[in-house]
Amino acid sequence: MPVAARVKPGFYKDSVALMRVAQALAARAGINRATLVMGTPANKAALEQAGLLEQALAAAQPGDLMIVVEGIDPPAIDEALQEAERLLVATDAPAAAAAGEETLRSIAMALDAGTPATLAQISVPGPYGAAEALKALKRGLHVFLFSDNVSLEQEIALKKLAAGRRLLVMGPDCGTAILGGVPLGFANAVRRGTIGLVGASGTGIQQVSVLVHQAGEGVSSAIGTGSRDVQAEVGGATTREALALLAADRDTHVIVIVSKPPAKPVAESVFADAARAGKPVVALFLGAGGLKSKGGVTVVRTLEEAAAAAVALARGGTYTPAASMLDGTATLPAELAMQAPAQRYVRGLYSGGTFCTEAQVVLRAAGVIAWSNAPIDKTRRIPERAPSAAHCVVDMGADEFTVGRPHPMIDHGARAERLLAEARDPETALVMLDVVLGYGAHPDPAGALAPAIREARATALRGGRHLILVAFVCGTDEDPQRASAQVRTLREAGVNVVSSSTAAARLAAGVVAARSVSVNP
């Protein structure tokens, strides 16, 4: 198909805004793919790998916007490019200007105008993100740094400065936080309460906060750190500062840490700080082995356990992690009886990378070793965009799936295509899906997935098979999408809806056991 590209010099929008424009373009008749990204070397490399790096983009700089559209013919592409320009102009009009107020164009202007701010939310091109964060820190502001493509050296320097001033640098590439009851980035609407969260995982924070809310408790604060914070070079700087702030916060009674495995010296320092917090601390380092509860720190293994432990401790009780992550019961007996003998494997199609990791952890505890594009066992990596192999869980938010289309929390097209491919595979027994709600997510994710779910079931049926679908909704009824409405849509489409990401993986493990499948193919 023909491809056309344009560059808008010095024009920046954050990734969420660009993904929404790309989603609108891709929905147009005659358009196959649309992508809007900044002209960073990483984005150029990704476009080149996808065969979309047109000559017009060669000179694009990190502060320039690249627009790429693939369609059936030049007229359709030209109309899409014109629509892109219209949408970008529409989203670029400041609300203050519409109200006849002066537009504040810098942190200094806002503070000098008397804005009673304690935090700066920064979403500018990566090369400028660190500079703006530095300005905010020097003016005594905490920083929520949504920008990506900030160098590791700049992150270290920013967090060193922040530590000396008892300030937080959440990020770079921080997608979720809840501060003072206000959700930032991809966060959910949850009640306020006494449980504070610290996370190097956006969807991990979302799932734990949602489960806490569903259990009747609430969140005092949720502090994202950026995924690199637990690397040895950064030293857990924001994690440790967040721990200290929550330890001193009179509204926080229990603290939860959610992260993938930290570097060993970071784990040691974080555990030491947690033991000195003077409050119960729940620690979840997904996939990390050898960590044990000690000194007021309760170590758990799943997102569900993290929430359950926090709720128990917040209510003045105690929590003992379960001896097993498996329920040990036969699941879905009627659906299992409808399956063909060849249906042996479980597949996970996740929009949240943390959910992909947790599924592998839960399956492994049951002896089920899964392949993945983001494996915890590096010997089980599948090639980029390759079909599923045996038991397989896929992070659909990885770069390989988001070049040329928005993230799957906003656009479910890529997951729908993959779901249909799984349904055509005669060995697929079960498919797991996450449905993530919140302020940055798709306005009706279950509704967007439902047609593909129905077609997947029909495809399997035509092949003489029965496909089991399992999903969980990460959200609340206070979210714009309403969790109960999403659950209803999924169930009407024939999906088994369970309570959490952990429960979905447990159920998948139970199906493997019930099918008497060799768990180490």
Side-chain angles (χ1 to χ4, degrees):
M1 287 189 177
V3 178
R6 289 182 184 175
V7 175
K8 289 180 70 66
F11 188 95
Y12 177 78
K13 302 294 291 184
D14 68 45
S15 59
V16 174
L18 294 178
M19 285 189 284
R20 294 202 180 282
V21 175
Q23 181 184 23
L25 299 184
R28 294 176 61 88
I31 300 303
N32 182 41
R33 287 189 290 180
T35 186
L36 289 84
V37 292
M38 303 306 296
T40 64
N43 285 337
K44 286 185 177 181
L47 288 173
E48 183 175 23
Q49 186 175 15
L52 297 175
L53 188 63
E54 297 291 289
Q55 183 60 37
L57 307 176
Q61 299 299 305
D64 301 336
L65 175 62
M66 302 186 296
I67 307 172
V68 187
V69 178
E70 179 185 69
I72 60 173
D73 55 38
I77 292 173
D78 288 342
E79 290 177 6
L81 288 171
Q82 293 174 23
E83 178 67 0
E85 294 285 352
R86 186 190 72 78
L87 293 172
L88 289 167
V89 169
T91 59
D92 199 41
E101 301 174 1
E102 180 184 11
T103 300
L104 301 175
R105 299 187 178 277
S106 69
I107 292 170
M109 284 183 66
L111 293 175
D112 292 344
T115 303
T118 58
L119 176 140
Q121 183 171 343
I122 297 173
S123 181
V124 298
Y128 308 110
E132 292 303 316
L134 180 63
K135 295 174 186 176
L137 292 171
K138 288 184 175 179
R139 295 293 296 261
L141 301 178
H142 299 292
V143 170
F144 181 87
L145 187 53
F146 189 79
S147 304
D148 57 6
N149 292 299
V150 174
S151 73
L152 183 62
E153 292 74 20
Q154 289 173 320
E155 178 176 352
I156 293 169
L158 288 171
K159 291 184 173 180
K160 183 176 181 180
L161 174 64
R165 301 179 178 222
R166 300 306 306 273
L167 296 172
L168 292 170
V169 175
M170 291 166 276
D173 199 18
C174 185
T176 304
I178 303 172
L179 303 172
V182 178
L184 302 177
F186 292 99
N188 299 96
V190 298
R191 73 172 57 82
R192 298 194 71 175
T194 62
I195 297 171
L197 308 178
V198 182
S201 162
T203 48
I205 286 178
Q206 287 187 261
Q207 178 71 109
V208 174
S209 66
V210 163
L211 292 174
V212 164
H213 174 93
Q214 291 172 349
E217 297 298 324
V219 173
S220 57
S221 295
I223 301 172
T225 68
S227 60
R228 295 186 306 202
D229 191 71
V230 293
Q231 292 183 7
E233 298 88 343
V234 186
T238 299
T239 301
R240 299 180 68 187
E241 185 63 33
L243 269 171
L245 288 174
L246 292 176
D249 176 27
R250 64 182 181 182
D251 294 326
T252 299
H253 299 170
V254 177
I255 303 169
V256 182
I257 306 169
V258 182
S259 174
K260 293 179 183 178
K264 184 177 179 180
V266 176
E268 292 173 350
S269 60
V270 168
F271 266 68
D273 287 355
R276 293 191 294 266
K279 298 176 179 179
V281 177
V282 179
L284 170 61
F285 295 112
L286 273 170
L291 300 176
K292 296 182 179 180
S293 300
K294 62 178 181 180
V297 182
T298 301
V299 174
V300 295
R301 295 164 293 175
T302 69
L303 295 164
E304 186 178 83
E305 282 191 348
V311 168
L313 294 168
R315 292 173 177 170
T318 59
Y319 181 79
T320 301
S324 172
M325 287 186 279
L326 307 177
D327 57 20
T329 62
T331 55
L332 308 173
E335 291 198 73
L336 286 166
M338 298 165 65
Q339 293 199 305
Q343 291 183 266
R344 305 188 296 157
Y345 298 126
V346 296
R347 309 279 164 75
L349 306 179
Y350 291 105
S351 60
T354 297
F355 299 142
C356 180
T357 299
E358 186 195 38
Q360 294 174 70
V361 170
V362 175
L363 289 170
R364 180 177 286 266
V368 182
I369 309 301
W371 293 78
S372 179
N373 62 334
I376 57 175
D377 177 353
K378 304 308 180 186
T379 68
R380 294 280 173 156
R381 182 181 298 277
I382 60 173
E384 286 193 0
R385 301 182 69 88
S388 297
H391 302 297
C392 189
V393 292
V394 181
D395 175 10
M396 298 294 296
D399 290 344
E400 65 200 83
F401 293 106
T402 56
V403 175
R405 65 196 321 158
H407 190 278
M409 284 174 62
I410 292 176
D411 179 1
H412 294 274
R415 278 212 296 174
E417 294 169 7
R418 185 95 181 193
L419 173 58
L420 294 176
E422 302 292 4
R424 290 190 292 269
D425 183 345
E427 294 186 312
T428 304
L430 175 147
V431 176
M432 295 177 284
L433 300 167
D434 60 343
V435 176
V436 184
L437 314 185
Y439 289 97
H442 189 285
D444 182 18
L449 283 168
I453 290 169
R454 292 189 177 96
E455 179 58 27
R457 296 180 71 216
T459 296
L461 184 61
R462 287 192 295 268
R465 304 182 304 277
H466 176 76
L467 181 65
I468 300 174
L469 289 122
V470 178
F472 62 94
V473 174
C474 180
T476 72
D477 268 353
E478 283 66 44
D479 282 323
Q481 304 90 342
R482 289 187 61 237
S484 59
Q486 298 295 304
V487 169
R488 183 168 57 250
T489 297
L490 291 169
R491 286 180 173 156
E492 289 173 352
V495 179
N496 298 280
V497 182
V498 295
S499 59
S500 69
S501 57
T502 314
R506 273 203 312 266
L507 191 150
V511 166
V512 173
R515 297 291 296 168
S516 299
V517 174
S518 171
V519 296
N520 290 296

